[in-house]
Amino acid sequence: YFMVFGTEFMMPLALSLAVFVCIFEIVVGLALILGIYKKWTLWGLLAMMIFFTFLTFYSAYFNKVTDCGCFGDAIPLTPWQSFTKDVILSVAAIILYVQRKHINPIMSVPAARWILTFSIVLQAFMAYWVLNHLPLIDFRAYKVGTDIVADMSTPEGAPVDEFEITWTYKVDGVEKEFTTEEEPWNIEGAEYVSRDQKLIKEGYHPPIHDFTMTIEDVDYTESLMQENELFLLVMYRIDETPVHPKLHKRVNDLVRSCDEAGVIFLGMSSSGYAAVEDYRHKVQAQYQVAFCDETTLKTIVRSNPGLVYIKNGVIAAKWHFNDLPRDLEAARKAVEN
């Protein structure tokens, strides 16, 4: 949204605001259920719903932000679905405000305040945990247990996208629209003007469709997915990856134990060759770095860097950089446990 509205100078605040908004939404909802701080809760609820209804309408109408992230990957919503949800909630918020005299505490106010305080502390801890480790529940396409090869394949006979194509041809000096069945190209003297394609029915799309491991313009994805064991150190933007000596000593120790056992260890990044080589020199990296799309890498693991352990094409484990295994044996034991 900062990019869409031309306020890139606020980008450094994105993470802090994301954490604040997540906590604020739950606090307002819980306070409403408990029936305390009625005035501030209702005003906060109204302000929040008006703000987000505007954002989701803007996203839907202008097709600017196609993933609102309301429920993350747990419940994916299209922009129009998200806008409809916010309209319904806005109407409910207005009704609550109008009928606010009927909102009363469901328990003693001191007890309700303690519950609200505990909720804020718990949410703050969860935000801290997710940012410094990995999410407790992973709803994405690359969660542990995912068979990457299978999820990249399209089943035989799976439905395909269906499109409605409109052809515009100039006939006798007048532009007219035709369907494909009308075959306007066979009309004598007709001149082609344009072709418009509209998706009317979406077909099957594999859950994983943009995963590649490219080194020097050669795609090694298929061969690497056949390895018995494979480690991937995901660094979606290598210029933002920490260069802490202790972190990379641990990484290099793991790389050495993998080399001794004949297990492939590979870096993954969306950054260019110069940035990758500069980073490898800084951290004395003993591994090659393959190229992959940035969004894909962010989806694979919520950590920069983050470690992914793949066995026979299946994601066996993932680690935040704060929780890296010390060596290959430790990684294997973690999977077994």
Side-chain angles (χ1 to χ4, degrees):
Y1 284 110
F2 288 150
M3 294 175 66
V4 167
F5 289 106
T7 54
E8 288 88 347
F9 65 92
M10 296 182 69
M11 291 286 282
L13 298 175
L15 179 59
S16 299
L17 285 174
V19 172
F20 171 78
V21 169
C22 286
I23 294 177
F24 181 74
E25 287 180 319
I26 299 174
V27 167
V28 168
L30 184 58
L32 183 64
I33 291 172
L34 294 171
I36 59 174
Y37 303 120
K38 185 164 61 175
K39 177 181 177 182
W40 294 107
T41 297
L42 291 174
W43 275 113
L45 180 63
L46 280 171
M48 183 170 60
M49 291 316 308
I50 291 170
F51 177 70
F52 281 112
T53 301
F54 163 73
L55 283 187
T56 52
F57 170 77
Y58 186 89
S59 298
Y61 188 81
F62 294 101
N63 198 34
K64 290 293 185 180
V65 182
T66 57
D67 183 3
C68 77
C70 298
F71 301 105
D73 296 291
I75 309 176
L77 296 176
T78 65
W80 282 113
Q81 287 174 335
S82 187
F83 170 66
T84 303
K85 166 186 67 67
D86 284 347
V87 169
I88 294 172
L89 291 177
S90 294
V91 171
I94 292 172
I95 293 173
L96 285 170
Y97 183 80
V98 172
Q99 299 293 328
R100 60 188 180 277
K101 64 181 181 181
H102 298 295
I103 299 175
N104 297 300
I106 61 173
M107 61 179 66
S108 69
V109 174
R113 286 174 177 170
W114 273 111
I115 291 175
L116 195 63
T117 301
F118 175 75
S119 170
I120 294 172
V121 172
L122 179 61
Q123 293 167 67
F125 171 76
M126 287 300 299
Y128 165 83
W129 180 269
V130 170
L131 290 173
N132 289 277
H133 303 280
L134 292 182
L136 297 177
I137 303 176
D138 192 348
F139 294 100
R140 292 159 296 158
Y142 297 89
K143 60 182 177 292
V144 172
T146 297
D147 187 328
I148 296 177
V149 176
D151 281 7
M152 289 176 69
S153 305
T154 299
E156 187 176 348
V160 297
D161 291 342
E162 294 182 16
F163 295 92
E164 182 181 75
I165 300 177
T166 303
W167 303 85
T168 302
Y169 272 75
K170 185 179 288 186
V171 181
D172 297 329
V174 180
E175 290 188 2
K176 297 182 178 179
E177 293 185 348
F178 301 88
T179 63
T180 300
E181 290 72 24
E182 291 175 301
E183 300 182 352
W185 47 85
N186 289 330
I187 300 175
E188 186 177 351
E191 297 178 19
Y192 171 79
V193 177
S194 64
R195 173 180 179 273
D196 182 57
Q197 181 172 282
K198 179 182 178 182
L199 179 67
I200 57 174
K201 185 177 181 181
E202 190 170 354
Y204 176 83
H205 294 276
I208 297 176
H209 54 272
D210 46 12
F211 178 71
T212 59
M213 291 183 280
T214 306
I215 303 175
E216 297 180 358
D217 297 325
V218 179
D219 189 350
Y220 292 94
T221 309
E222 185 176 349
S223 59
L224 287 170
M225 285 298 97
Q226 296 175 7
E227 292 290 328
N228 291 332
E229 292 179 288
L230 173 67
F231 282 90
L232 302 178
L233 186 68
V234 176
M235 303 168 284
Y236 58 86
R237 291 190 63 178
I238 215 159
D239 57 317
E240 296 180 4
T241 305
V243 192
H244 302 318
K246 288 184 178 180
L247 166 62
H248 291 284
K249 179 184 181 304
R250 189 155 194 160
V251 171
N252 288 331
D253 287 345
L254 177 58
V255 173
R256 278 191 290 272
S257 69
C258 287
D259 288 342
E260 292 170 0
V263 175
I264 296 178
F265 188 105
L266 195 65
M268 295 280 285
S269 182
S270 65
S271 300
Y273 177 80
V276 167
E277 288 304 303
D278 179 61
Y279 183 83
R280 290 185 68 220
H281 176 73
K282 286 180 181 177
V283 302
Q284 297 296 301
Q286 304 299 313
Y287 50 86
Q288 283 187 295
V289 177
F291 179 84
C292 187
D293 176 70
E294 180 179 339
T295 301
T296 301
L297 295 177
K298 287 180 177 179
T299 307
I300 292 173
V301 60
R302 298 288 192 190
S303 177
N304 186 25
L307 185 65
V308 181
Y309 181 29
I310 300 174
K311 298 187 68 176
N312 300 309
V314 177
I315 298 177
K318 297 196 289 188
W319 293 273
H320 188 282
F321 66 79
N322 285 327
D323 306 309
L324 296 179
R326 64 181 181 276
D327 54 29
L328 177 59
E329 193 59 33
R332 287 170 172 170
K333 286 182 178 179
V335 172
E336 292 172 0
N337 295 334

